[in-house]
Amino acid sequence: MRSLSDTLQRLQRYRTSPVMDAGPTRLTRLEIANANPGNLFGWYYAPESGDRSGLLALVVVLHGCTQTAAGYDAGSGWSKLADEFGFAVLFPEQSRQNNPNLCFNWFSDNDIERGRGEVRSIREMIDTMVSDHGIDPTRVFITGLSAGGAMANAMLAAYPEVFSGGALIAGLPYGVASTVPDAFDRMRGHGLPSHQRLQERLRSASPHVGPWPTISVWHGTADKTVDELNARAIIEQWKAIHEVGDRPARSDAMDGHEHHIWTNRAGADAIELHRIGGMGHGTPIDTSSGYGVQAPYMLDVGVSSTEHIARSWGLTPSFERRVQLDARATTSNETRSDDRKDVTNYIQDVIESALRSAGLIR
């Protein structure tokens, strides 16, 4: 258990952390149509058109402590990616009235239980986006950093029927703290519940019976703010519900870093872990990709978590194809039109190649 003086010192460090000046933002204030018991703000970006059905996928993005919606967007590049690939983003934002450090209150039962507080407010924002901005309710995803990652996990636990997938960056398990001192203990990896208790808390969070959202966990091996034990605990919390094995079904390297995948009984990817070697506390970005800006807790480690997460959810094409298109791109409308045709032709070629391999066409 941390001492009171340790808790006060950590709170003071949050209060003195710089808040990123995002400058001009493409985000628009969301007018929440229904209840807002968590007293949150909402911001969004939606391109003019979506996929062939006319509906847009939606990514809900939750900032970390001392951050704002616009600041996290500028640092992560989510709205830029959404603009280029045709999906929408929603940024719930904490207020200093709720939390002086702008942390989502992931450690407050009143704010993480289904139908109450901040999770209810975020749920209502999603409903507003679906009804007012042409969102496909079957393609809603959520991600967040640190306190935002913990609150994203709370959303996945409280409203699993809403989401197809979640990506938790330096986050924490659901329902492991009820006070600020408890929260700091869990952040340090102290007092985490048993695997069985973690799974019980997830199952009791909602009446849902499935299917369950996929889970992607991201953590830096040198994170001194949220101990890496929390990443392992998140995975343990979701293992039983997804009926996956204790060991990953496969492991590989992603941009030179550890990547482990657990598959369910159907052989589909259900849970994944990205361990970013040597990275501290923050969101991994790659400024050379054109998505993201280095800032406090936005760490340029040559890995664009924004791109990887969007790609895993099927929101963007493969990185290799995008690089080829970028190399040819110019500012002329004619060239951009050619690129769109190239993407279509490429996808058709991939499909035909797969069908040939399966012996379904010649």
Side-chain angles (χ1 to χ4, degrees), residues 198-243:
L198 287 168
Q199 293 163 6
E200 289 172 353
R201 291 180 181 178
L202 175 60
R203 288 188 181 278
S204 66
S206 79
H208 186 60
V209 293
W212 294 86
T214 60
I215 303 297
S216 179
V217 179
W218 295 69
H219 218 103
T221 62
D223 192 329
K224 303 300 183 185
T225 300
V226 177
D227 192 277
E228 193 181 0
L229 286 173
N230 285 281
R232 303 289 181 177
I234 293 171
I235 291 169
E236 293 298 336
Q237 187 164 59
W238 284 90
K239 272 185 179 179
I241 212 82
H242 276 296
E243 299 182 320

Side-chain angles (χ1 to χ4, degrees), residues 43 48 65 81 84-85 112 140 180-181 225 237 250 257 264:
W43 302 84
E48 294 182 359
C65 297
L81 197 73
E84 293 183 6
F85 291 98
I112 65 171
V140 178
V180 172
T225 300
Q237 187 164 59
R250 65 183 188 274
H257 300 276
N264 60 23

Side-chain angles (χ1 to χ4, degrees), residues 27 39 89 308 346:
L27 302 182
N39 296 315
V89 284
H308 279 285
Y346 171 73

Side-chain angles (χ1 to χ4, degrees), residues 150-334:
M151 186 57 77
N153 200 24
M155 289 298 300
L156 292 164
Y159 298 102
E161 75 279 7
V162 173
F163 302 100
S164 293
L168 316 175
I169 304 173
L172 296 101
Y174 172 74
V176 295
S178 297
T179 66
V180 172
D182 282 351
F184 281 125
D185 267 357
R186 306 303 175 263
M187 289 166 65
R188 300 286 285 271
H190 300 158
L192 288 167
S194 68
H195 297 170
Q196 180 180 356
R197 184 61 180 141
L198 287 168
Q199 293 163 6
E200 289 172 353
R201 291 180 181 178
L202 175 60
R203 288 188 181 278
S204 66
S206 79
H208 186 60
V209 293
W212 294 86
T214 60
I215 303 297
S216 179
V217 179
W218 295 69
H219 218 103
T221 62
D223 192 329
K224 303 300 183 185
T225 300
V226 177
D227 192 277
E228 193 181 0
L229 286 173
N230 285 281
R232 303 289 181 177
I234 293 171
I235 291 169
E236 293 298 336
Q237 187 164 59
W238 284 90
K239 272 185 179 179
I241 212 82
H242 276 296
E243 299 182 320
V244 302
D246 286 335
R247 299 179 65 84
R250 65 183 188 274
S251 298
D252 54 27
M254 185 278 296
D255 288 350
H257 300 276
E258 288 183 44
H259 181 214
H260 306 282
I261 301 165
W262 288 260
T263 57
N264 60 23
R265 291 183 176 180
D269 295 354
I271 303 172
E272 67 173 354
L273 168 64
H274 294 266
R275 296 184 72 234
I276 309 303
M279 189 183 77
H281 186 66
T283 294
I285 64 171
D286 178 8
T287 55
S288 67
S289 71
Y291 304 105
V293 177
Q294 190 167 6
Y297 309 117
M298 310 304 296
L299 309 179
D300 187 3
V301 293
V303 179
S304 175
S305 57
T306 301
E307 285 188 284
H308 279 285
I309 291 166
R311 183 191 185 196
S312 72
W313 291 336
L315 302 179
T316 68
S318 72
F319 296 148
E320 293 78 10
R321 187 59 186 165
R322 184 181 60 76
V323 169
Q324 293 171 21
L325 293 178
D326 288 349
R328 293 197 309 270
T330 69
T331 57
S332 70
N333 292 331
E334 180 179 354

